[in-house]
Amino acid sequence: IMTGGAIGSLFAQRFKLSAAERKTLLVAGAAAGMTGIFGTPLAAILLAVEVLLFEWKPRSFVPVVLAVLIALGVRPFLLGAGPL
C-alpha cells in the first residue's frame, strides 16, 4: 500500500501537479496497492475515499476507481488469481 502511494506521489511530483492532484494520486496509488495485494477493490475504494481523501468529488473519486480497476486487472497476471 505504501509503495503504491509512493509511486502515485512520485508521478505527481515528476509532472509538477498541484498539491490536491498529488494527494489524489497518492491515494489512488495506495488503493491500487491494496487491491493488488489483497484483491479487495471495493474495500480499497471505500478506505481511500472515506479515510484518506475525505471527499466524494469526481475529480478525486474517478482516479482512485481507475487505479483500482487497473490493479485488479493486472493482479492475476503478476500474482495469480488465488489468494496470497
Side-chain angles (χ1 to χ4, degrees), residues 24 44 46 54 60 62 65 78 81:
T24 300
L46 290 176
F54 305 115
S60 56
V62 172
V65 172
L78 298 177

Side-chain angles (χ1 to χ4, degrees), residues 6 8 10-11 14 17-18 38 41 46 52-54 62 71:
L10 287 173
F11 182 81
R14 174 81 172 136
L17 301 177
S18 69
F38 298 115
L46 290 176
L52 302 173
L53 284 177
F54 305 115
V62 172

